[in-house]
Amino acid sequence: MIIAIDGPAGAGKGTLARRLAAHFRFAYLDTGLLYRAVGRAVLDKGAAPEDPAQATRAAEALDPAALDGPALRSEDTAQAASKVSAIPSVRAALLAFQRRFAQTPPGGAKGAVLDGRDVGTVVCPAADVKLFLTATPEVRAERRVKELQERGLEAIYARVLQDMNERDARDQARALAPLTPAKDALVLDTSTLDADAVFERALRHIASLNSA
Ligand code: DC
């Protein structure tokens, strides 16, 4: 079973994906981390994330087993990830790993949960469950500010909101695999829902699909 969760930054995808994976004992892949690792590698080389040759080289050299570290969570990495993700050869280089993870989840798990921007539309168009989470930009920025502050980092709401809007606009406007809900996705606006409520709704949706 494959569960695909897509949506913009701060909509609650990661939290829901982790909870569903724990609940069903499925493997979990945060596909954004792949793009972040590519973006980071390009920045660390002192190159521009918009440079297709550098970004493609970084994507082809990526070790998906080494996707850790606070540097991947920073805002400059997020912006670089969004820029490299618009390059078709970067997306192509990362596609096979994601599909393999979904079809043959590691650890002998009987299913996989993947979250990102194009899981339900491109990576796993035949996923059993597709969820698209969204929330107002203001709510998503507030969540991001809280998350940064909890990690002891300084965060200015107006700046976070601006960065997020910029990234969403780029992710939605790109020609290949833009951020958009799959036709058969359940769209959940999480603006007024807490993590428990989102989890409950997702479980109810999955149960309804299984009994159909
Ligand atoms: O989910 P995230 O914020 O870690 O993702 C970082 C960037 O990576 C996001 O702005 C766009 C890109 N991305 C993508 O293009 N496709 C995915 N499946 C996941 C992320």
Side-chain angles (χ1 to χ4, degrees), residues 23-102:
H23 180 81
F24 291 110
R25 296 176 196 238
F26 287 174
Y28 166 51
L29 179 65
D30 172 354
T31 66
L33 270 185
L34 301 170
Y35 292 94
R36 284 172 181 261
V38 173
R40 189 70 246 162
V42 174
L43 291 181
D44 287 347
K45 275 199 165 172
E50 296 88 350
D51 179 338
Q54 294 278 357
T56 307
R57 209 169 304 141
E60 286 170 352
L62 185 74
D63 177 3
L67 297 174
D68 260 340
L72 295 187
R73 292 275 157 223
S74 70
E75 187 51 40
D76 61 333
T77 303
Q79 293 292 348
S82 171
K83 288 173 188 163
V84 300
S85 75
I87 301 169
S89 49
V90 168
R91 305 201 70 83
L94 301 180
L95 190 57
F97 171 77
Q98 297 174 75
R99 287 196 172 146
R100 212 177 313 120
F101 187 101

Side-chain angles (χ1 to χ4, degrees), residues 140-211:
R140 294 188 290 109
E142 266 164 37
R143 287 179 188 157
R144 177 77 182 149
V145 166
K146 212 167 136 221
E147 184 197 322
L148 290 168
Q149 285 169 345
E150 278 166 6
R151 280 164 39 204
L153 301 168
E154 203 188 326
I156 301 160
Y157 172 80
R159 180 70 206 272
V160 169
L161 179 63
Q162 188 191 330
D163 287 345
M164 204 168 243
N165 284 337
E166 237 176 67
R167 194 144 70 90
D168 289 345
R170 196 185 299 112
D171 295 345
Q172 281 160 7
R174 69 181 177 222
L176 186 64
L179 170 65
T180 183
K183 284 196 182 67
D184 49 350
L186 173 74
V187 179
L188 266 181
D189 186 333
T190 70
S191 301
T192 60
L193 301 175
D194 66 13
D196 287 344
V198 175
F199 180 58
E200 288 306 321
R201 287 190 193 207
L203 281 186
R204 233 184 295 147
H205 177 61
I206 294 168
S208 77
L209 292 175
N210 286 340
S211 63

